[in-house]
Amino acid sequence: MREAMATAEVGDDVYGEDPTVNALEAEVAALFGHEAALFAPTGSMANQIALQLVVPPGDELLCDADAHVVTYEIGAAAAYGGISSRTWSPAGADLDPDTVAAMIRPEGYHAVPTRAIAVEQTHNRGGGGVIPLATLRELRRIGDDAGVALHCDGARIWHAHVADGVPLTEYGALFDTLSVCLSKGLGAPVGSLVVGSADKIARARVIRKRMGGGMRQAGVLAAAGRYALAHHVDRLAADHAKAARLAEAVAPFGVLATAVRTNLVPLDLAKARLDAHALAAAARAEGVLVSVLGPRTARLVTHQDVDDAGIDRAVEVLTRVLRDA
């Protein structure tokens, strides 16, 4: 990947003249069956660009209360897009389309009209859960009937594709806009893309510049993304298997929050002797890093930089810390 970055052909992407960026954008658009894509420096920026494409200022977005777009993006939808957000109760991948349908507000009635629904595939705070294709199809039908757009925060959509075998084009056909990340399981150092129609992506380019995301010789970054797409998608199955090993190891201690489908292992420490910070500190002291998501919520993540020996070490440390607490 670093060799690909070092030898990348570059140009000025603000002017659309970086051939490596252009190739990456065309490749990703084709993967999802859309007309165009736009390279952005971060997943948060890609999400917020996409939301501004489908929700005018002052109108409404519906999403999960634990969705990344309203949890980890620092109020950007309101701050940058003037978007009003309303959420359904956290459901992870088990969302109920009927619940979402009942929340949609049409124009008129002196209320904020709903313009878009956002879903997360896979769902981060939902433990890497994969929203079933049938659920997404029903949401698409609901959106079409109501004249409401559908956005996918697809930061980990590659994991869903590998776990369920759903073609990327089939996912792409269900959404008006998608954001897809190259720096999660695929292992690129930076970068996400907004995917949509040609006219939307033309608007997205302006929004990206307004948000400070216009980059010059960005081909050195796009080259890493192209390498990741070519070499790191199919191998995600190995990360899923490693996550299952971790889940099996910690399950006897009653801390596993949900069934593990992909590369995320959520830990519910509500009944454990250790809280999340204490667990993370004890594990860190022995070289195992644990993400703290809340006072009694933690997360383990597998990826290509954690080999089998690393999993063995994590199992040894975590089981000992949990057992001896």
Side-chain angles (χ1 to χ4, degrees), residues 1-10 219-221 223-224:
M1 182 183 284
R2 291 188 178 187
E3 182 179 354
M5 296 171 72
T7 59
E9 184 180 0
V10 299
V220 292
L221 302 177

Side-chain angles (χ1 to χ4, degrees), residues 108-133:
Y109 306 101
H110 308 287
V112 178
T114 303
R115 299 298 187 192
I117 300 164
V119 297
E120 195 171 318
Q121 183 75 311
T122 65
H123 198 293
N124 178 12
R125 288 187 66 90
V130 181
I131 302 173
L133 185 61

Side-chain angles (χ1 to χ4, degrees), residues 5 20 36 41 45 52 95 113 119 130 160 191 202 213 247-248 267 289 304:
M5 296 171 72
T20 307
M45 182 178 285
Q52 290 177 61
L95 65 96
V119 297
V130 181
E248 183 180 6
L267 304 181
L289 303 182
Q304 66 171 7

Side-chain angles (χ1 to χ4, degrees), residues 197-283:
S197 64
D199 66 319
K200 281 186 171 62
I201 297 306
R203 289 172 52 210
R205 190 170 292 275
V206 175
I207 297 170
R208 183 186 69 175
K209 187 71 163 63
R210 181 181 297 132
M211 295 177 71
M215 298 180 286
R216 300 296 182 177
Q217 286 72 37
V220 292
L221 302 177
R226 295 194 74 198
Y227 184 94
L229 288 172
H231 296 91
H232 294 169
V233 175
D234 290 342
R235 63 152 306 283
L236 294 176
D239 292 342
H240 299 174
K242 291 171 184 174
R245 278 189 59 205
L246 286 173
E248 183 180 6
V250 301
F253 300 95
V255 300
L256 194 62
T258 186
V260 171
R261 292 288 322 282
T262 54
N263 70 319
L264 305 184
V265 183
L267 304 181
D268 179 357
L269 300 164
K271 298 180 179 178
R273 294 180 184 177
L274 291 175
D275 64 16
H277 287 285
L279 173 64

Side-chain angles (χ1 to χ4, degrees), residues 276-294:
H277 287 285
L279 173 64
R284 178 183 285 271
E286 300 197 48
V288 175
L289 303 182
V290 176
S291 292
V292 175
L293 302 186

Side-chain angles (χ1 to χ4, degrees), residues 5-286:
M5 296 171 72
T7 59
E9 184 180 0
V10 299
D12 191 330
D13 183 47
V14 169
Y15 288 94
E17 295 173 351
D18 190 301
T20 307
V21 173
N22 293 344
L24 172 66
E25 290 172 344
E27 181 180 354
V28 171
L31 285 174
F32 289 92
H34 275 267
E35 293 178 329
L38 180 71
F39 187 48
T42 71
S44 291
M45 182 178 285
N47 268 331
Q48 293 305 321
I49 290 170
L51 294 183
Q52 290 177 61
L53 293 175
V54 293
V55 185
D59 289 355
E60 181 178 77
L61 171 75
L62 299 181
C63 63
D64 186 298
D66 274 346
H68 195 281
V69 294
V70 293
T71 302
Y72 293 121
E73 299 185 11
I74 322 298
Y80 287 112
I83 295 170
S84 178
S85 301
R86 196 155 46 92
T87 61
W88 59 83
S89 296
D94 299 322
L95 65 96
D96 176 15
D98 290 337
T99 297
V100 178
M103 294 177 66
I104 294 174
R105 290 172 173 163
E107 286 194 84
Y109 306 101
H110 308 287
V112 178
T114 303
R115 299 298 187 192
I117 300 164
V119 297
E120 195 171 318
Q121 183 75 311
T122 65
H123 198 293
N124 178 12
R125 288 187 66 90
V130 181
I131 302 173
L133 185 61
T135 300
L136 296 175
R137 285 173 171 164
E138 180 62 10
L139 282 178
R140 177 76 269 178
R141 184 195 66 76
I142 290 167
D144 287 344
D145 289 348
V148 168
L150 202 59
H151 169 65
C152 178
D153 175 356
R156 295 179 176 86
I157 200 165
W158 324 102
H159 292 278
H161 161 64
V162 169
D164 276 7
V166 175
L168 295 173
T169 51
E170 193 152 358
Y171 280 134
L174 294 171
F175 296 100
D176 298 278
T177 56
L178 303 95
S179 67
V180 299
C181 187
L182 304 172
S183 64
K184 293 287 195 302
L186 297 192
V190 64
S192 288
L193 292 101
V194 185
V195 183
S197 64
D199 66 319
K200 281 186 171 62
I201 297 306
R203 289 172 52 210
R205 190 170 292 275
V206 175
I207 297 170
R208 183 186 69 175
K209 187 71 163 63
R210 181 181 297 132
M211 295 177 71
M215 298 180 286
R216 300 296 182 177
Q217 286 72 37
V220 292
L221 302 177
R226 295 194 74 198
Y227 184 94
L229 288 172
H231 296 91
H232 294 169
V233 175
D234 290 342
R235 63 152 306 283
L236 294 176
D239 292 342
H240 299 174
K242 291 171 184 174
R245 278 189 59 205
L246 286 173
E248 183 180 6
V250 301
F253 300 95
V255 300
L256 194 62
T258 186
V260 171
R261 292 288 322 282
T262 54
N263 70 319
L264 305 184
V265 183
L267 304 181
D268 179 357
L269 300 164
K271 298 180 179 178
R273 294 180 184 177
L274 291 175
D275 64 16
H277 287 285
L279 173 64
R284 178 183 285 271
E286 300 197 48

